[in-house]
Amino acid sequence: MSKVVLITGGSSGIGKSIGEFLHQKGFVVYGTSRNPEKITNSIFPLVALDVRDKQSILNCVAEVIQKSGRLDIVINNAGVGITGPIEEIPTEEIRNNFETNLFGPIEVMKAVLPQMREQKSGLIINITSIAGYMGLPYRGIYSASKGALELITEALRMEVKSFGIQITNVAPGDFATNIAAGRYHAPVVKGSAYEVPYGNTLKEMDSHVDSGSNPNEMAEAIFAIIQTNKPKVHYKVGAFMQKFSIVLKRILPDSVYEKMLMNHYKL
């Protein structure tokens, strides 16, 4: 029997690449979009979902289970970027980021766990970020939301293991997707104390995304995890230096690592 996969945020970027790859491998794939009727080029069905809306999550999960009778794999991929000096980012934008990147995935997991517990099996893969392993200048809110999801996953993984349910984190580095176009950018304010350093850092971040890795690398990594009997707690996917930066943080003194980051961002 083909395994049933639900991918949040499956209409573009990494989510779409994962969905297409798994569809071609014979999985029954459902993606999600806030407006699925506007997406005409998806090779797998899209279900309406806004991860900031609990009822929308419950409706989506119920629809997939009603159509397929089970739910084997959930990939929490929906997320949104945010940049800016923390002092200048509107609080409502910070809350929206956490609603999408943290509270949404938590609610999705809460919605699917009863079905997986009944099946005595299931796999949840949370897409986090290498940025979640460190506080990056002008990306602090994004780093915090993804880092929090990493820790939630570590805890929940232990709580549900006895039910036959596996949970893991996959932290991508920079991939060539449309995330830069969709994220919230605090404006570069003329005359602000952050005008020059934030403006320069913003250009640097956008260039990293534009020259990022092929999203198919993520799809292949996700497929390999699905094939694993006992997934690890954490996976990192991306350029060597991005993954190595996590190792450096672990072994270098804090002040040295901070200086390294500031030099990288020319601060």
Side-chain angles (χ1 to χ4, degrees):
M1 185 184 295
S2 296
K3 289 188 175 181
V4 178
V5 184
L6 173 62
I7 306 171
T8 68
S11 62
S12 63
I14 287 174
K16 183 179 181 182
S17 294
I18 294 170
E20 290 176 347
F21 191 91
L22 295 182
H23 173 81
Q24 289 160 1
K25 291 290 184 181
F27 291 81
V28 177
V29 176
Y30 294 89
T32 76
S33 170
R34 277 181 284 183
N35 304 107
E37 68 281 355
K38 294 182 179 179
I39 311 297
T40 58
N41 62 347
S42 180
I43 64 172
F44 49 87
L46 295 173
V47 182
L49 174 68
D50 183 343
V51 295
R52 300 167 300 178
D53 181 338
K54 182 176 180 179
Q55 192 57 52
S56 173
I57 292 169
L58 294 173
N59 292 346
C60 170
V61 171
E63 182 176 339
V64 171
I65 293 171
Q66 188 269 324
K67 286 179 176 176
S68 296
R70 61 185 294 110
L71 184 50
D72 300 294
I73 301 159
V74 172
I75 302 172
N76 261 321
N77 166 74
V80 65
I82 185 169
T83 67
I86 291 172
E87 183 182 352
E88 294 181 354
I89 300 175
T91 300
E92 59 269 23
E93 292 295 344
I94 295 174
R95 292 186 191 281
N96 179 67
N97 190 268
F98 271 76
E99 288 289 345
T100 305
N101 289 357
L102 178 63
F103 299 121
I106 290 172
E107 291 296 338
V108 170
M109 289 190 284
K110 289 166 71 173
V112 303
L113 282 172
Q115 176 66 30
M116 290 183 169
R117 196 162 51 243
E118 186 179 316
Q119 295 168 184
K120 297 182 175 59
S121 67
L123 171 63
I124 298 173
I125 300 173
N126 289 327
I127 307 298
T128 57
S129 173
I130 286 178
Y133 282 84
M134 60 204 75
L136 296 175
Y138 306 114
R139 292 180 73 186
I141 302 304
Y142 183 75
S143 290
S145 65
K146 291 296 191 177
L149 184 57
E150 287 271 345
L151 294 180
I152 288 286
T153 304
E154 289 180 8
L156 186 58
R157 173 185 165 95
M158 291 184 280
E159 294 174 6
V160 303
K161 188 168 282 193
S162 64
F163 307 135
I165 301 169
Q166 302 274 6
I167 307 184
T168 185
N169 284 311
V170 180
D174 290 320
F175 281 83
T177 70
N178 60 351
I179 189 171
R183 71 187 172 200
Y184 172 81
H185 293 286
V188 180
V189 178
K190 192 78 174 167
S192 161
Y194 304 102
E195 178 187 359
V196 174
Y198 172 46
N200 291 339
T201 302
L202 197 54
K203 291 173 189 171
E204 181 90 3
M205 285 189 283
D206 288 345
S207 71
H208 287 171
V209 172
D210 292 340
S211 62
S213 305
N214 189 321
N216 286 338
E217 286 183 34
M218 271 292 286
E220 291 171 2
I222 294 295
F223 178 66
I225 292 167
I226 290 171
Q227 304 298 104
T228 303
N229 287 330
K230 293 183 178 179
K232 297 188 295 185
V233 183
H234 301 286
Y235 293 89
K236 292 92 177 175
V237 182
F240 171 78
M241 280 309 299
Q242 292 173 353
K243 293 186 287 186
F244 189 55
S245 66
I246 299 173
V247 177
L248 289 177
K249 185 176 186 192
R250 200 159 54 231
I251 62 176
L252 292 176
D254 290 345
S255 58
V256 174
Y257 190 77
E258 180 184 66
K259 187 173 183 180
M260 186 186 77
L261 280 180
M262 293 186 75
N263 287 339
H264 177 76
Y265 286 102
K266 301 179 177 64
L267 297 177

